[in-house]
Amino acid sequence: MHKLSAKIFIFLRPKPRSDVTSSKIAEYLLKIKAVKIDVGNPFQWSSGWKSPIYCDNRLTLSHPEIRDFIKHGFVERVKAEYPEATGIVGVATGAIALGVLVADEMGLPFIYVRSKAKGHGMQNLLEGDVDSNGKYVVIEDLVSTGCSSVKAVQAVQATGATVLGTISIFSYGFPQAKAAFEETGTQYDSLTNLKTLLEKAQEFDYLQADEQATIFDWQQDPANWNGQE
């Protein structure tokens, strides 16, 4: 009876398309274990931070149905938020393939930003034919602190081109990321986020309410979080 009532409620009051997309992507990420959650045995990031979550969105590229859904999620968001976009930017390495998929679907030029400039030849940081009068949207697979994404934004801005905004598959929602993007004068958004992911994780019994609260505590101060008390 409870499940039937829930379905009727959704039929009568459908969620906005963006909410449906966010929820479905969160479900997909958990299903293929692109996101792993372990509050009791935290992961250690390369930065040295301890984290109850590990995210590898590159796994989505190996699943055609999921890859296609995410691609269309990006396309819909770009069209809705940045209809004036004239080009797409991918960030190395995880978002190069994603960016190509989005640019191809939209019929727009594509460039990508290296993690660091080449040490030979033209020593390029940006690869592709950059239009200094262009209006670009940056595509990311993941935004944590925002450092790598912001470097990509600044690299494009340095050419004289305009960056309209950055969109990622997933964002942790760290305060540091918000501050970093504000310094560039650009916006950032994600197709799904930590709150939606945790709601889905609880729905599928991947974690309990007290574990969810612990993860939200980590989100507010990840640099100083040392694990579950």
Side-chain angles (χ1 to χ4, degrees):
M1 181 63 69
H2 174 73
K3 289 185 178 179
L4 178 60
S5 298
K7 288 182 179 179
I8 292 173
F9 177 76
I10 291 172
F11 175 75
L12 293 174
R13 298 184 62 186
K15 291 183 179 180
R17 174 62 186 169
S18 59
D19 289 349
V20 173
T21 299
S22 178
S23 180
K24 190 63 179 178
I25 291 176
E27 181 181 334
Y28 278 144
L29 296 180
L30 291 166
K31 179 181 177 181
I32 64 173
K33 297 182 180 179
V35 173
K36 298 177 182 178
I37 301 173
D38 194 334
V39 174
N41 297 287
F43 305 95
Q44 185 158 330
W45 291 356
S46 58
S47 63
W49 290 6
K50 288 185 178 180
S51 168
I53 296 179
Y54 181 77
C55 186
D56 183 3
N57 290 332
R58 288 169 293 191
L59 291 177
T60 61
L61 296 170
S62 299
H63 300 267
E65 177 188 359
I66 297 172
R67 183 180 68 212
D68 196 55
F69 189 87
I70 290 172
K71 175 187 71 175
H72 287 292
F74 274 119
V75 170
E76 288 179 4
R77 190 66 62 88
V78 172
K79 287 180 177 179
E81 301 294 331
Y82 309 110
E84 68 273 40
T86 62
I88 299 295
V89 181
V91 182
T93 56
I96 292 178
L98 286 168
V100 169
L101 289 170
V102 174
D104 187 61
E105 182 72 16
M106 298 187 71
L108 293 176
F110 174 77
I111 61 173
Y112 72 87
V113 184
R114 291 176 167 271
S115 55
K116 61 180 181 180
K118 284 199 298 188
H120 60 279
M122 298 295 291
Q123 299 188 0
N124 293 341
L125 181 59
L126 290 170
E127 296 289 0
D129 192 3
V130 184
D131 179 3
S132 61
N133 295 311
K135 297 180 180 180
Y136 290 94
V137 175
V138 176
I139 299 296
E140 265 283 24
D141 63 328
L142 169 71
V143 170
S144 53
T145 62
C147 288
S148 61
S149 306
V150 163
K151 286 180 182 177
V153 169
Q154 291 171 333
V156 177
Q157 289 177 326
T159 70
T162 299
V163 174
L164 299 173
T166 300
I167 308 171
S168 62
I169 296 178
F170 178 76
S171 169
Y172 290 108
F174 291 153
Q176 293 95 326
K178 181 182 178 185
F181 278 99
E182 284 177 350
E183 288 187 8
T184 69
T186 66
Q187 303 179 67
Y188 91 97
D189 195 7
S190 58
L191 299 183
T192 194
N193 52 61
L194 185 62
K195 180 177 182 295
T196 303
L197 183 84
L198 296 183
E199 288 172 354
K200 276 293 174 184
Q202 268 200 277
E203 181 181 330
F204 294 122
D205 295 324
Y206 289 164
L207 80 166
Q208 304 301 313
D210 60 332
E211 294 175 316
Q212 186 180 71
T214 298
I215 294 172
F216 280 131
D217 286 342
W218 162 78
Q219 181 191 40
Q220 296 307 306
D221 190 12
N224 297 306
W225 188 83
N226 289 312
Q228 195 171 24
E229 296 295 334

